[in-house]
Amino acid sequence: MSELVTKSVAQEQREQKIETHSAVEHIAGFTIVATAVAVLAVLVATVVYAQDKYSLKSPSGIAFSDFRGYEDWSAVSSARTDEVLKVIVANPTMINAYKAGIPGNGQPFPEGSMIVKLQWKPKKSTEAPFVVDVPDVFSQAFVMEKDSKRFPKTGGWGYAVFNYEAASDKFTADAKSPSDCGHSCHVAVKAKDYIFHPYQKR
């Protein structure tokens, strides 16, 4: 009789161990799944944010995604008006053309050239020991791309403006961008292939 009791106790202990092991496996599995879901949610959120910016198209059909990576392009020049500070950047195709002497050598920029004018509202620096204006709120990306097949009526260049709103951290395509100092303004520098800013010495 005592042997049966001993076997029964031992059997119950084995079953409890199996149940405990099984419960631990379930908890571990749930933790892995929950972690994977959380990571996936972060990735999806990141992609959605990127798509929000690069899914935009101007009324003239210029896609913001054409200029992907512009944040890291080389600087061409800078400018200052009463209202905005501007930094002009260009893609490697256009930078290489500048370095080869275009447009000063009379040659046009090659197809695929892209240039972006980044604009900030200025503010007086409260940190510098001298009077200086520094960028405050980013406001706009004015873009141009060279594609003679798509833009034969405007010297081969397409123009667009993408506005930025700091409060919502969102870009929008400017509905008035075709008339916002696009081709009509740049005709003044037709002899320089419609580009105002030279590549500044550095």
Side-chain angles (χ1 to χ4, degrees):
M1 184 74 173
S2 62
E3 287 181 10
L4 288 173
V5 171
T6 303
K7 284 183 181 177
S8 179
V9 170
Q11 189 175 359
E12 282 182 13
Q13 287 176 342
R14 278 197 302 273
E15 287 174 358
Q16 284 177 350
K17 283 182 182 178
I18 291 169
E19 286 176 6
T20 302
H21 183 69
S22 179
V24 169
E25 284 182 341
H26 283 305
I27 290 170
F30 177 76
T31 303
I32 291 169
V33 170
T35 302
V37 168
V39 169
L40 184 61
V42 170
L43 291 173
V44 168
T46 302
V47 170
V48 166
Y49 174 76
Q51 287 175 337
D52 182 53
K53 178 177 177 177
Y54 286 121
S55 64
L56 296 174
K57 275 195 174 182
S58 74
S60 59
I62 293 177
F64 205 1
S65 59
D66 290 352
F67 300 84
R68 190 182 298 274
Y70 71 89
E71 301 93 337
D72 300 317
W73 289 355
S74 296
V76 172
S77 184
S78 63
R80 172 77 163 87
T81 69
D82 290 339
E83 294 83 25
V84 290
L85 292 174
K86 308 176 186 185
V87 173
I88 297 89
V89 300
N91 71 346
T93 299
M94 192 158 180
I95 292 293
N96 289 337
Y98 269 124
K99 290 180 177 180
I102 295 173
N105 60 11
Q107 297 298 310
F109 286 97
E111 298 295 305
S113 291
M114 297 183 186
I115 193 165
V116 180
K117 182 169 59 182
L118 303 170
Q119 303 190 144
W120 288 264
K121 292 178 182 177
K123 67 177 181 179
K124 298 290 183 189
S125 172
T126 57
E127 299 171 327
F130 46 83
V131 177
V132 60
D133 287 336
V134 294
D136 185 13
V137 179
F138 184 69
S139 60
Q140 197 174 70
F142 173 88
V143 304
M144 292 174 62
E145 64 177 309
K146 185 75 173 283
D147 188 333
S148 298
K149 289 182 179 177
R150 288 174 63 197
F151 313 110
K153 295 180 180 178
T154 52
W157 291 96
Y159 304 81
V161 173
F162 296 96
N163 295 319
Y164 176 73
E165 184 183 76
S168 63
D169 191 26
K170 299 286 184 184
F171 282 86
T172 56
D174 193 321
K176 302 178 295 181
S177 63
S179 61
D180 185 5
C181 195
H183 182 66
S184 59
C185 281
H186 287 249
V187 167
V189 285
K190 181 179 179 181
K192 296 193 292 183
D193 197 16
Y194 302 93
I195 297 297
F196 279 103
H197 296 278
Y199 185 76
Q200 299 293 344
K201 183 72 176 176
R202 60 207 67 191

